[in-house]
Amino acid sequence: MPVIFLLALTCGVAVGNVYFPQAVVPSLASGLDVTAQAAAQVVTATQAGYAAGIFLLVPLGDRLPHRRLIVTLLVLTGAGLLAAGTAPTLGVLLAVSVAVGLTTVVAPIIGPMAAGLVDADRRGMVTGTLLSGSIGGMLLSRALGGVLGEWLGWRAPYLVSAGLVLGMAFLLARVLPETVPPSAQRYPALVAESLRLLRAEPELRRSCLYQAAVFGAFSAVWTAVALLLSGPVYGLGASAAGALALVNAGTMLCTPFAGRQVDRRGPDAVNLVCLAGAVVSALVLAAGGLGGAAGLAGLVLGTLLLDVAMQSGMVANQVRVYGLRPEARSRLNTAYMTCAYAGGAAGSWLGAGAYGHAGWPGVCALAALFSGLALARHLGRTRSAPPSVPVA
């Protein structure tokens, strides 16, 4: 278990690099003298790079020793963050953000590795623990990024993150155990097999749809909420979005519980609750446009509900995916996470556009649409198929 907790910490450090730009958008816009909508493209660029990295690099988790692969990617990420923190223009920052997203993909490599270290009846609990680490990274990175961006400028979060990532690479190079890769396939075959598995496995496609939709809603909300809080309705600083993220720290406690429920009841039962919760969260979030104490309460409750729904649904979906073909978990996770982050990148882009054209109500409507489509698909499936059973 100490190894699992260390891996959870690594997930948090790596995943934080994808999310702290959401809280830095207002500071970045001011620092580079660009519009907020233009600055929000950094979020989209990072998530698009992350989706590409999952597709191109995560399959290597089935081919290369995990310690060597994880440490190398962390070092490359640290170098990219240093370059981002010194970028002279938005164009350069966008290009480097794609590179950072591309290499900071150790969490989806760690997940399949950890799943292979434990028995099947503990897989939900371990997945939930790793996701708690990732959630901690998401929350703390947004909180710290917002505060650093407001006090020291937008470059500070990138430089601090670079130091954390390089420090973690040094630690893991010393303590991470060696593992034996399960596949000897050549790289082109590994990448191609992720696409083949997506075509061949209906349950993989279903999990991909659920997570892409809900993560799209999540990304749309968190990309736009910094603009809402720093805009005329609230007039708060960039640190407000980070503080809002920190309020949602309770999400870290929910994913291990969700993992235990998946182990007991199966993924479908947990998915139903999570998808319904995501739809309800969009309605609660709409109150955020009112401003004042009532609006802040709506934002706190709505983002908390959406975070819990997205992360708990991730546990259910990943447990379903990991149970399909144990010998190809990294390739299965490649297809799953690529779809999830493609949905997230689309949500960030559409969320920024919705906010620019229709304000906060447009963002909430977009989140409701994404989540509602996934819920409708799930309800249609459960009416026509027997319920899933706990993973054995």
Side-chain angles (χ1 to χ4, degrees):
M1 287 306 292
V3 172
I4 298 299
F5 287 120
L6 177 61
L7 293 175
L9 178 62
T10 305
C11 289
V13 170
V15 167
N17 299 320
V18 183
Y19 292 97
F20 78 76
Q22 293 175 338
V24 179
V25 168
S27 301
L28 199 156
S30 175
L32 291 179
D33 194 24
V34 297
T35 67
Q37 283 72 31
Q41 294 176 19
V42 172
V43 179
T44 302
T46 305
Q47 291 185 342
Y50 196 73
I54 291 168
F55 180 72
L56 295 173
L57 299 179
V58 171
L60 293 173
D62 283 339
R63 180 66 178 82
L64 299 177
H66 287 105
R67 182 170 67 185
R68 184 196 315 167
L69 178 60
I70 290 170
V71 171
T72 299
L73 290 175
L74 287 173
V75 170
L76 292 174
T77 301
L81 288 165
L82 289 174
T86 57
T89 65
L90 179 62
V92 173
L93 180 59
L94 288 172
V96 177
S97 294
V98 173
V100 169
L102 186 75
T103 57
T104 190
V105 292
V106 299
I109 293 172
I110 286 172
M113 178 186 72
L117 298 177
V118 299
D119 295 333
D121 60 356
R122 298 178 61 227
R123 202 167 290 146
M125 181 273 292
V126 169
T127 301
T129 300
L130 294 177
L131 280 175
S132 289
S134 296
I135 293 166
M138 291 167 54
L139 298 175
L140 293 175
S141 67
R142 287 195 298 238
L144 183 62
V147 171
L148 289 176
E150 186 172 350
W151 290 358
L152 301 176
W154 68 268
R155 298 181 188 276
Y158 285 94
L159 299 177
V160 170
S161 296
L164 290 173
V165 169
L166 293 174
M168 185 57 66
F170 177 79
L171 176 63
L172 291 182
R174 290 177 171 269
V175 303
L176 195 64
E178 283 286 0
T179 57
V180 178
S183 174
Q185 283 184 296
R186 296 173 64 85
Y187 175 73
L190 285 172
V191 174
E193 188 167 355
S194 297
L195 296 175
R196 186 185 66 78
L197 289 169
L198 190 60
R199 291 194 303 268
E201 296 287 351
E203 292 295 89
L204 173 61
R205 293 196 300 272
R206 183 160 69 96
S207 296
C208 289
L209 172 63
Y210 292 169
Q211 198 62 26
V214 177
F215 192 49
F218 174 91
S219 296
V221 167
W222 278 105
T223 297
V225 75
L227 303 178
L228 174 68
L229 290 173
S230 63
V233 175
Y234 291 97
L236 300 174
S239 60
L244 178 62
L246 199 57
V247 169
N248 293 344
T251 314
M252 296 176 63
L253 304 176
C254 295
T255 48
F257 174 77
R260 290 192 293 272
Q261 294 306 306
V262 173
D263 288 337
R264 294 172 185 170
R265 305 173 187 276
D268 278 359
V270 175
N271 273 139
L272 177 60
V273 175
C274 293
L275 293 173
V279 173
V280 172
S281 74
L283 304 178
V284 177
L285 283 165
L290 299 174
L296 283 175
L299 290 178
V300 170
L301 292 176
T303 54
L304 178 59
L305 182 57
L306 182 57
D307 280 16
V308 170
M310 194 273 286
Q311 298 294 351
S312 299
M314 173 78 85
V315 176
N317 291 326
Q318 284 193 308
V319 169
R320 182 188 294 115
V321 168
Y322 291 158
L324 295 176
R325 301 192 187 188
E327 79 283 358
R329 287 195 179 108
S330 285
R331 284 158 283 177
L332 288 164
N333 205 37
T334 293
Y336 169 71
M337 295 295 291
T338 299
C339 292
Y341 275 89
S348 295
W349 181 69
L350 292 172
Y355 188 83
H357 288 90
W360 185 247
V363 176
C364 295
L366 179 65
L369 176 63
F370 275 25
S371 302
L373 289 174
L375 178 60
R377 169 68 178 83
H378 187 66
L379 291 173
R381 189 262 177 191
T382 54
R383 290 194 188 102
S384 59
S388 62
V389 296
V391 177

